[in-house]
Amino acid sequence: MRYAAMKEVTRLPAEAKALVIAVDGPAGAGKSTVAQAVAKRLGYVYIDTGAMYRALTLQAARCGVSPEDGQGLVRLLQNTDIRLVNHPDDKGKNRVLLNGEDVTEAIRSPDVSQAVSKVASHPEVRKHMVRMQQALAAEGGVVMDGRDIGTTVLPNAELKVYLTADASARAERRWRELRAAGHDADLEDVYKSILERDRQDKERAESPLRAADDAVVIDSTNCPIDEVVNKVLELVAERTSQHASGR
């Protein structure tokens, strides 16, 4: 897999160390929106790990591989080209390519959302994905979001953020996204799906969803996205200052 990103002018001093930033949290908490905005403001590379699992889930459905078939999913992953790139018409917004096809919208369908947690629960699938994700972050200057970034993928990240929100608020956000994308979604069904996704993510044996011990927890239930982004940027400035002073 390859990842490409368009660089933006950073707000930090030119000599500042490029940090590795991990953003975790449950479905609908706003991880992707916040992480992408932070990366854009800093001129960092944004890596949406959830999109990687969703792309594999979509490919599995197309190829008739069951979400229960861990070995089959690994074989499929090894023969699937998943790329995250920036689309110039979307001002740097990530596009997800599956074997060259733009599936950015397709991977957000209710069917994919329902199956992705099961696909991501297989240890061998996660191990393969983690290796890919760690390679992408090796040089620093990245913002990576997911559900096990601070705990498993990037345990040595200089800044870890755990973004959460009330389940009702998260369900309404996801419902609005689905409606905007043209899906005939029911709010109550989305709410139930969010709760079930939380349960699956937190109870899976391999890399369950939890806040890293050294993560900064931010509740976005009643906090506008811009405020969350600014809070993360403040944390980046603090960590950058600490590194510069050798603390």
Side-chain angles (χ1 to χ4, degrees):
M1 172 182 170
R2 294 190 300 177
Y3 184 90
M6 294 167 61
K7 291 293 183 179
E8 299 286 340
V9 177
T10 178
R11 298 177 61 194
L12 301 177
E15 68 276 8
K17 178 184 184 295
L19 305 183
V20 172
I21 303 171
V23 181
D24 289 301
K31 299 184 302 297
S32 296
T33 302
V34 170
Q36 186 165 287
V38 169
K40 181 177 177 63
R41 293 279 290 275
L42 296 174
Y44 281 14
V45 172
Y46 165 61
I47 303 172
D48 179 359
T49 62
M52 296 165 67
Y53 286 104
R54 283 175 173 273
L56 175 60
T57 302
L58 178 62
Q59 182 68 355
R62 290 178 170 181
C63 296
V65 178
S66 170
E68 308 283 344
D69 183 2
Q71 291 303 315
L73 290 167
V74 170
R75 289 193 295 271
L76 183 64
L77 179 58
Q78 292 171 337
N79 292 283
T80 299
D81 182 22
I82 301 173
R83 302 186 189 184
L84 280 67
V85 299
N86 284 319
H87 192 293
D89 294 337
D90 284 340
K91 299 179 181 179
K93 181 180 179 181
N94 276 15
R95 308 301 295 177
V96 183
L97 304 183
L98 177 61
N99 295 326
E101 176 191 353
D102 189 333
V103 295
T104 307
E105 281 72 37
I107 63 172
R108 302 294 171 182
S109 72
D111 288 342
V112 171
S113 295
Q114 185 175 6
V116 66
S117 188
K118 186 61 183 179
V119 169
S121 70
H122 296 287
E124 290 305 315
V125 171
R126 297 199 71 84
K127 288 178 183 177
H128 194 85
M129 286 286 198
V130 166
R131 287 195 294 269
M132 296 164 66
Q133 293 156 5
Q134 289 174 334
L136 292 173
E139 295 184 4
V142 303
V143 183
M144 184 179 293
D145 78 64
R147 285 170 172 75
D148 63 343
I149 309 306
T151 56
T152 301
V153 181
L154 303 174
N156 297 318
E158 287 89 355
L159 173 60
K160 301 176 186 177
V161 174
Y162 188 87
L163 186 60
T164 188
D166 178 83
S168 295
R170 291 188 283 122
E172 183 169 353
R173 291 172 188 171
R174 183 56 54 84
W175 175 74
R176 291 183 184 280
E177 290 174 358
L178 290 170
R179 297 281 292 184
H183 298 292
D184 186 19
D186 178 79
L187 180 57
E188 182 63 24
D189 289 341
V190 175
Y191 177 71
K192 292 178 180 178
S193 178
I194 286 282
L195 293 180
E196 176 59 18
R197 182 73 191 274
D198 287 351
R199 185 194 66 77
Q200 293 177 353
D201 288 341
K202 292 177 180 178
E203 294 180 3
R204 69 185 180 219
E206 185 73 14
S207 301
L209 170 66
R210 68 176 181 84
D213 293 338
D214 54 348
V216 178
V217 179
I218 300 176
D219 189 328
S220 68
T221 302
N222 299 306
C223 187
I225 290 298
D226 287 348
E227 290 186 17
V228 177
V229 171
N230 286 335
K231 174 60 177 176
V232 175
L233 289 171
E234 290 173 4
L235 293 169
V236 172
E238 291 175 5
R239 299 300 166 87
T240 301
S241 176
Q242 292 172 2
H243 280 279
S245 63
R247 287 182 286 171

